[in-house]
Amino acid sequence: MDQSEAGRRRALWALGALALAGSLGSLAGDAVRSSSRAPGAAPARHGRRKAHPRVAPPPAGWTAHALKARHQPVRSLHDLAPAAPRNAIALTIDDGPHPEWTPRMLDLLAEHEVSATFSLIGLQVQRYPRLAERIVEAGHQLCNHTMHHPIPFNRLSAGRVKAEITEAQRRISDATGVHARFFRSPGGSWSRQVVRAAGDHGMIPIDWDVDPRDWSRPGTRRIAQSMLACRPGAILLCHDGGGDRSETLRALRTVIPRLKHRGMAFVAL
């Protein structure tokens, strides 16, 4: 072996030794860091949690233009401009999100290809933010339904009304990235003060004209009969929160296809 070949091999051995030493040092460092954690603890994660990206709420189901209220609060689609199609109706779903009933409601709406408007309680959004996000991902509209759903809402002080709306709006925005465009007063209790407070947040106050009182669990048949009596332009009220909503889901399985068969089209606000 000549001197040049021997020199080349010595250089390679030296580089290999350095690489091995570096690997062993890295493993030793990992072991030290691992041993410093409490038994069973997850590896430390560095950096701040990324803020939820701001997402524009979906446009109304019939127009890309911003909606305006002809009358406040809005009790039917006829109170909105631009005008909805003549055969349009809106399904609104209140008091969620709920860990049992909201996923089942979303599955039902997806099965029947229906867009709806969910009126969310801020406290429920705080508890189940992923469900609120799932509602947005499914393409549904959001409505602010106050932070704690106090009743009667229209008798609260101006400061309390503002706080209930503001805090719910913050929780909804933090969870979904969406600034809700609509507000629904708990129990449908309205006043000039409540309408003004909703307007201060850029929201349209939304009421309803078909209430099957499904929250009281009057029976699947009675809920269905009430909703099937609706006319074009109706805003229908039902719930995915506040208790057992099995009757509501069973009723909607009948109501949705029958209303579609009559030529009505479900639209989100």
Side-chain angles (χ1 to χ4, degrees), residues 47-206:
R48 296 182 179 178
R49 183 181 179 182
K50 293 183 179 180
H52 201 294
R54 181 69 58 179
V55 179
W62 62 92
T63 178
H65 298 287
L67 293 179
K68 295 182 180 179
R70 292 192 176 105
H71 305 285
Q72 298 190 66
V74 169
R75 290 190 167 88
S76 82
L77 297 180
H78 302 306
D79 293 334
L80 290 167
R86 292 183 180 180
N87 64 334
I89 54 176
L91 177 62
T92 60
I93 303 164
D94 286 19
D95 295 355
H98 187 281
E100 178 177 0
W101 304 111
T102 300
R104 293 173 65 177
M105 181 68 74
L106 289 171
D107 290 344
L108 174 65
L109 297 177
E111 178 184 344
H112 292 280
E113 298 182 336
V114 166
S115 296
T117 301
F118 284 77
S119 301
L120 304 182
I121 297 175
L123 185 60
Q124 293 297 105
V125 173
Q126 181 182 355
R127 289 170 175 166
Y128 310 108
R130 182 64 188 96
L131 283 177
E133 192 175 22
R134 182 179 165 186
I135 292 170
V136 172
E137 291 172 348
H140 300 292
Q141 190 65 266
L142 299 185
C143 177
N144 182 320
H145 200 32
T146 74
M147 186 65 193
H148 300 98
H149 201 276
I151 293 177
F153 191 68
N154 59 353
R155 295 186 183 179
L156 300 181
S157 67
R160 179 76 186 282
V161 167
K162 179 180 179 181
E164 283 284 336
I165 295 174
T166 301
E167 182 64 9
Q169 195 75 324
R170 184 176 72 84
R171 295 293 181 180
I172 292 170
S173 180
D174 286 349
T176 68
V178 170
H179 181 91
R181 289 175 172 166
F182 303 95
F183 173 75
R184 172 165 282 168
S185 183
S189 55
W190 299 97
S191 67
R192 290 183 180 179
Q193 174 181 281
V194 172
V195 170
R196 187 182 306 114
D200 289 343
H201 285 77
M203 293 185 290
I204 297 175
I206 298 293

